[in-house]
Amino acid sequence: MNRVREWTVPIGRQVDGSPWPLRFVEITASAPGPTTGFVAGLWGDKPLGVLTLHELVDTLTELPLAGTVLLCPAVNLPALAAGTRVSPDHHQLNRRFPGSPTGFLTDQIAHALHATLTEHCSTVVDLHSGTPTMALRYTYDFGDLDLSVAFGQLPVVVDHAYPTQLSAVLARGGVPSCLPEFGGGPFRESTAGIAGCLNVLRYRGQLDSPLTGPPTVPVIRDLHLVLPSTTGVLVGTLGPGDVGATVPTGVLGWVTNVLTGERVEEFVVERPGGILLMASASPAMVAPGAYAFMIGFPFQERPLPATGSAPSVP
């Protein structure tokens, strides 16, 4: 039977004087092995990842594990309470690592999370998800391609990291990490997230069973992000339900002027072979810079690694 314990790291002060709790759940098996961390809820508008990690806790409690799994299902409580990507102090948590023990609450959360993960974990998965109006399907890589591919289920995007993301800071400090984005729109289930997390544990030798999902995943460097440059109604020929599909050449969408009905901006795909990695629901009002679509063009297919093939770690 796996041993389960939990603790909280207090952060800052709420208006009533109580701290914001950063809650961790630790699942430890009797068999020795590494420690893998899973976190979710860095953005407040992506609760599917939060629910997925709570489900993963229940799943792992009964599985024959080796080593330890550390989970933090709901990192950014202030942003989750507001339901917004940007935290109430006007900062984006996953652009603030490694954080600071003082100052903005977002920086304090970043500091506490980073310090706890680096103390306990030798690999970390930062689980993200889509929203009710936006579907996502890819994994960001941070220099350990085998780890990113091991998550499976999703295409892997390389060479697109921000230096102050959690995974980027962890990787620079010697803790391999990846950032899967899954679900959203009509994809309301945690299935892909759970399957990917279990695959990482298989790759790390903490579960003794074959990795699941497609035998290979596309690896992508060339991204085409579609952002409207004008206010109006976004209309797409593809939508959230098409994420993961190959994008045909031709018109992908456009923006219509609400006053005149004129099509004022058009988005055309000229290159074949792209995969739809992100799509927003439409018709919807958009402003300049809104996320509309993202297309990735693979340069290789990479097979899933074998169970227990991760490099040994302390």
Side-chain angles (χ1 to χ4, degrees):
M1 177 66 69
N2 300 324
R3 179 173 63 90
V4 181
R5 73 182 183 103
E6 63 177 81
W7 74 88
T8 60
V9 176
I11 301 170
R13 293 288 174 185
Q14 301 185 58
V15 68
D16 64 357
S18 62
W20 291 96
L22 189 62
R23 176 177 175 265
F24 292 89
V25 180
E26 182 185 78
I27 303 172
T28 303
S30 57
T35 298
T36 302
F38 296 94
V39 301
L42 272 74
W43 302 131
D45 61 345
K46 296 184 174 183
L48 178 59
V50 173
L51 296 177
T52 299
L53 286 198
H54 285 303
E55 184 177 338
L56 184 62
V57 169
D58 294 337
T59 301
L60 293 178
T61 301
E62 304 299 328
L63 288 180
L65 280 172
T68 299
V69 179
L70 182 66
L71 305 101
C72 185
V75 171
N76 194 351
L77 288 183
L80 287 163
T84 56
R85 178 181 177 90
V86 177
S87 298
D89 61 5
H90 306 295
H91 291 292
Q92 298 188 50
L93 176 57
N94 211 22
R95 302 292 185 268
R96 304 293 293 187
F97 289 93
S100 169
T102 60
F104 289 108
L105 181 60
T106 294
D107 291 337
Q108 293 182 51
I109 295 171
H111 177 267
L113 180 65
H114 178 261
T116 303
L117 294 175
T118 53
E119 177 184 354
H120 293 278
C121 302
S122 51
T123 292
V124 174
V125 175
D126 179 12
L127 191 65
H128 290 233
S129 62
T131 70
T133 59
M134 178 188 294
L136 305 164
R137 186 174 175 79
Y138 53 90
T139 294
Y140 280 122
D141 172 73
F142 293 84
D144 190 328
L145 189 54
D146 283 340
L147 170 64
S148 301
V149 170
F151 189 89
Q153 321 299 321
L154 312 171
V156 173
V157 175
V158 299
D159 299 337
H160 284 274
Y162 290 93
T164 51
Q165 286 177 291
L166 171 62
S167 290
V169 173
L170 288 170
R172 288 199 301 272
V175 179
S177 185
C178 65
L179 192 166
E181 300 255 22
F182 77 101
F187 305 108
R188 302 169 53 195
E189 303 300 323
S190 61
T191 307
I194 293 288
C197 292
L198 294 178
N199 271 354
V200 168
L201 293 175
R202 295 179 179 110
Y203 166 67
R204 302 262 291 152
Q206 295 184 256
L207 286 174
D208 187 18
S209 54
L211 277 70
T212 63
T216 65
V217 298
V219 182
I220 294 165
R221 180 176 293 112
D222 187 2
L223 291 180
H224 178 45
L225 181 61
V226 177
L227 306 175
S229 60
T230 184
T231 301
V233 183
L234 172 69
V235 179
T237 61
L238 299 178
D242 301 302
V243 166
T246 300
V247 180
T249 57
V251 176
L252 177 60
W254 58 89
V255 176
T256 297
N257 183 298
V258 295
L259 187 64
T260 66
E262 175 190 6
R263 187 179 294 191
V264 292
E265 188 171 20
E266 196 169 68
F267 312 117
V268 178
V269 179
E270 298 179 347
R271 179 179 171 185
I275 300 173
L276 188 64
L277 301 179
M278 178 271 286
S280 293
S282 69
M285 291 300 301
V286 293
Y291 290 113
F293 309 97
M294 187 164 71
I295 303 168
F297 296 91
F299 67 89
Q300 67 168 279
E301 288 278 336
R302 192 171 177 106
L304 268 62
T307 298
S309 62
S312 59
V313 292

